[in-house]
């Protein structure tokens, strides 16, 4: 199941321990799954997946339910959807997917996923960068859940503005220190008067995105003209974000 909006065990443990500054122990059988998945990704030319404790918790909740029900399902009656389960566990993502299975060994489970077109897509998706795995032993069988995500960093308003401001500066635009007007523009979809924003911008763009490593094309096209040399950047809460996906809302005013 997928929803949308590089390898040794020692490396994985080191990455996990770095999250939130807390040491993390990956259960051995879950660690075997991660190793097998990352080996397959390396062969396919995809980057490695980093262990994510929030995803592992979301996977654990569903895995326990599967073991209790003695059934393999994407979602049971009365159970939260994958996006809600992962969000409640503390994950932040722009894409998320899940694979479920029952088998006798981690290698058996991984082999079954690689033989299933949908699960193989989940495992090898180059857009995913995090993984959390849960395995529960019950009645002689191993129930397994693997959750995959494209992680979104958790940023403050100031950090979002700094990220976009850095991209603007690299393009030769001077970023103004006062974000008051841009924040006001960000928070509404209507045009604001000169009295509301003070100095009148020549171009205004608002957008929402989980990836803050690039600027929208409409903005970069305007920045190519000699008309603009300064910008004001403002961020505000995202609007109408589907489900539990994480996104950031930004406004840029060009002068």
């Amino acid at each position: 199941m997928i929803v949308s909006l590089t390898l040794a065990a020692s490396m994985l443990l080191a990455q996990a321990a770095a999250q939130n500054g807390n040491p993390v122990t990956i259960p051995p059988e879950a660690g075997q799954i991660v190793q097998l998945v990352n080996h397959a990704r390396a062969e396919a030319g995809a980057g490695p997946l980093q262990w994510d404790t929030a995803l592992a918790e979301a996977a654990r909740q569903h895995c326990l339910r599967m073991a209790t029900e003695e059934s393999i399902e994407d979602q049971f009656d009365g159970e939260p959807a994958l996006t809600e389960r992962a969000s409640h566990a503390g994950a932040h993502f722009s894409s998320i997917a899940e694979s479920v299975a029952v088998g006798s060994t981690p290698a058996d489970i991984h082999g079954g996923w690689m033989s299933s077109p949908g699960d193989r897509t989940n495992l090898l998706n180059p857009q995913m960068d995090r993984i959390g795995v849960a395995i529960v032993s019950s009645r002689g069988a191993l129930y397994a859940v693997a959750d995959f995500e494209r992680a979104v960093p958790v940023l403050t308003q100031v950090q979002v503005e700094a990220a976009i401001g850095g991209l603007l500066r690299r393009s030769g635009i001077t970023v103004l220190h006062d974000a008051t007007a841009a924040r006001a523009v960000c928070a509404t979809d209507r045009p604001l008067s000169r009295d509301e924003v003070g100095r009148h911008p020549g171009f205004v763009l608002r957008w929402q995105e989980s990836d803050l490593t690039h600027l929208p094309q409409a903005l970069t096209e305007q920045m190519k003209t000699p008309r603009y040399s300064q910008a004001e950047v403002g961020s505000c809460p995202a609007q109408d974000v589907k489900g539990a996906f994480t996104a950031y809302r930004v406004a840029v005013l060009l002068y």
Side-chain angles (χ1 to χ4, degrees):
M1 175 174 63
I2 184 167
V3 186
S4 300
L5 191 98
T6 273
L7 282 146
S10 59
M11 178 185 293
L12 293 168
L13 289 169
Q15 291 171 330
Q19 291 184 23
N20 301 321
N22 297 320
V24 176
T25 300
I26 303 175
E29 290 174 327
Q32 291 179 49
I33 291 286
V34 177
Q35 284 184 278
L36 290 166
V37 169
N38 275 337
H39 179 73
R41 288 174 65 87
E43 291 186 332
L49 298 173
Q50 179 179 333
W51 181 263
D52 188 283
T53 55
L55 284 184
E57 173 58 23
R60 186 188 70 84
Q61 294 171 14
H62 188 56
C63 200
L64 288 171
R65 182 70 181 269
M66 290 199 311
T68 299
E69 301 284 348
E70 297 183 57
S71 177
I72 304 302
E73 301 288 346
D74 289 328
Q75 183 179 4
F76 292 97
D77 289 343
E79 183 185 31
L82 169 60
T83 54
E84 296 174 274
R85 183 166 21 99
S87 178
H88 291 162
H92 295 267
F93 47 86
S94 58
S95 294
I96 190 165
E98 184 170 77
S99 290
V100 299
V102 62
S104 56
T105 66
D108 176 47
I109 291 165
H110 177 262
W113 282 337
M114 290 297 288
S115 298
S116 165
D119 292 318
R120 182 184 178 89
T121 296
N122 289 346
L123 271 63
L124 302 183
N125 187 342
Q127 298 303 312
M128 300 299 188
D129 56 17
R130 298 289 184 89
I131 186 173
V133 179
I135 296 182
V136 174
S137 178
S138 179
R139 299 173 180 85
L142 296 179
Y143 290 85
V145 177
D147 287 349
F148 311 85
E149 73 175 7
R150 177 73 174 182
V152 177
V154 181
L155 302 176
T156 65
Q157 181 183 44
V158 172
Q159 289 172 326
V160 172
E161 293 166 355
I164 298 301
L167 296 176
L168 291 167
R169 290 188 185 94
R170 287 189 211 112
S171 298
I173 300 293
T174 299
V175 179
L176 304 176
H177 294 295
D178 188 356
T180 304
R183 289 177 178 178
V185 169
C186 180
T188 181
D189 286 323
R190 67 178 179 82
L192 296 182
S193 68
R194 185 185 295 271
D195 290 340
E196 292 176 289
V197 298
R199 182 182 177 189
H200 189 68
F203 178 79
V204 173
L205 184 67
R206 306 173 183 85
W207 75 95
Q208 287 189 183
E209 179 62 81
S210 57
D211 182 359
L212 301 180
T213 62
H214 65 276
L215 298 173
Q217 184 176 356
L219 180 58
T220 58
E221 289 297 324
Q222 290 293 326
M223 289 161 50
K224 291 177 182 177
T225 68
R227 179 180 178 187
Y228 302 114
S229 61
Q230 296 181 324
E232 185 176 331
V233 181
S235 178
C236 60
Q239 299 178 5
D240 301 320
V241 178
K242 182 181 179 183
F245 293 93
T246 298
Y248 297 105
R249 185 172 173 84
V250 183
V252 169
L253 285 54
L254 293 182
Y255 301 99

